[in-house]
Amino acid sequence: MKYSLNGAESASNEIWVIAETGLKGPELSTFELIAKANELAQAKSSRVATVLCGKNPAKYIDEFQTCGVSKIYIAESQDMEFFHDEVEASAIASLAEEYKPSIILGAATVRGRSLLPRIAVLLGTGLTADCTVLEIDNSTGRLLQTRPAFGGNLLATIICDRFPQMSTVRPHVFHKGAEKPSSTPEIIRLPVSSIKKPVKKVLSFKKAEGEGSSLTEAKIIVAAGLGCGGPEGIKLAGKLAEVLGGALGASRSAVDSGWIEYSHQIGQTGITVHPEIYITCGISGAIQHLVGMQDSKYIISINKDPEAPVFAVSDVAICGDIHTIIPALIKELA
Ligand SMILES: Cc1cc2nc3c(=O)[nH]c(=O)nc-3n(C[C@H](O)[C@H](O)[C@H](O)COP(=O)(O)OP(=O)(O)OC[C@H]3O[C@@H](n4cnc5c(N)ncnc54)[C@H](O)[C@@H]3O)c2cc1C
């Protein structure tokens, strides 16, 4: 299934965002991508559409009336009661074959990382994962997809010479836009007969344990690093988080040391957050950590090394041992 190998001729002027729906409805990451798609659409005079898949996805239509989406594509099947990458990818690829979007965006979540590559393969196009910047090249109208490369040491801008141009973006890299005047999007349904029967069947769905979601929603995050010295130090940082009513994050080194679960990891290969207050405890400030938290409103860092790079991005630098500073803070705040 390929609708254009290397030309824009047959692509429409639509930008699609693949909606992700969780237990509570469309995820924030979907609206963040729609806001970015609206920005790109202005530069390309395009229309923004979203694609909803599921057992009864039409129930979410109203939630898309004030975000600037002019079309909603719907693929509905009992087989998509739970996320089913194989069925969803084939349904979305069928829609794309027919309506030929020029750009398809999806969230770089566990689901998106499974779904978007499958769609790209079915459409015979490329996919740039984990983009941090998306722009339109004014001279060619192509999508400029920028992402960290070589361990975050440089930023690579990638242009795909096939259509659709596809990218994933991690949640919270972009921001949800302001509400737009209410409008009624055009609804297009994929005929049920076009939806592939799955080879594999999802028998049940169990919500993963862990704090990933509470971290992305937290207004205050205390993040523990290797400088915490071990599980006891992590517990101390956790206590500070608890006293502040916040969530506990971690650097990759703390996770790799086995002191805390991966679901707490913040950074390039963890989650991206932008809380009101981010407090680092014994974190040096490696670029791979900073990319996941540098958009926090107010950054406070505790580190015993006055030269620690994290201080360069901090609003308040507390130079000292976490084992002295954190108990003093807890005493003051509790
Ligand atoms: C491809 C790739 C992806 C990566 N992804 C991520 C990612 O998603 N997230 C991430 O965090 N990292 C990631 N990393 C790893 C990253 O490069 C760093 O190694 C890591 O962030 C360092 O963690 P840290 O700051 O806890 O440890 P360190 O760099 O070892 O820093 C520890 C800090 O604690 C301070 N300290 C020590 N003792 C105390 C004390 N008692 N009191 C106060 N301060 C103290 C030290 O001065 C030091 O600054 C990635 C690396 C690569 C190559």
Side-chain angles (χ1 to χ4, degrees), residues 226 251-253 265-269 282 284 288-289 303 322:
L226 209 62
S251 71
R252 175 159 152 180
S253 298
Q265 185 178 313
I266 290 163
Q268 188 184 319
T269 42
S284 58
Q288 295 88 355
H289 186 81
N303 196 303
I322 62 128

Side-chain angles (χ1 to χ4, degrees), residues 59-133:
K59 68 181 174 194
Y60 300 124
I61 287 174
D62 286 354
E63 304 200 29
F64 291 89
Q65 291 195 340
T66 55
C67 63
V69 156
S70 58
K71 248 180 174 181
I72 300 181
Y73 292 93
I74 288 191
E76 184 172 337
S77 158
Q78 178 67 39
D79 292 322
M80 293 189 280
E81 178 177 6
F82 305 116
F83 171 63
H84 200 304
D85 49 12
E86 181 196 342
V87 185
E88 284 192 26
S90 120
I92 295 167
S94 297
L95 283 165
E97 275 285 301
E98 189 170 350
Y99 296 96
K100 301 180 173 38
S102 62
I103 295 172
I104 300 181
L105 307 178
T109 54
V110 172
R111 285 178 176 209
R113 286 186 168 129
S114 173
L115 180 62
L116 275 283
R118 286 170 190 271
I119 302 171
V121 168
L122 290 170
L123 294 172
T125 187
L127 169 70
T128 307
D130 291 356
C131 294
T132 51
V133 178

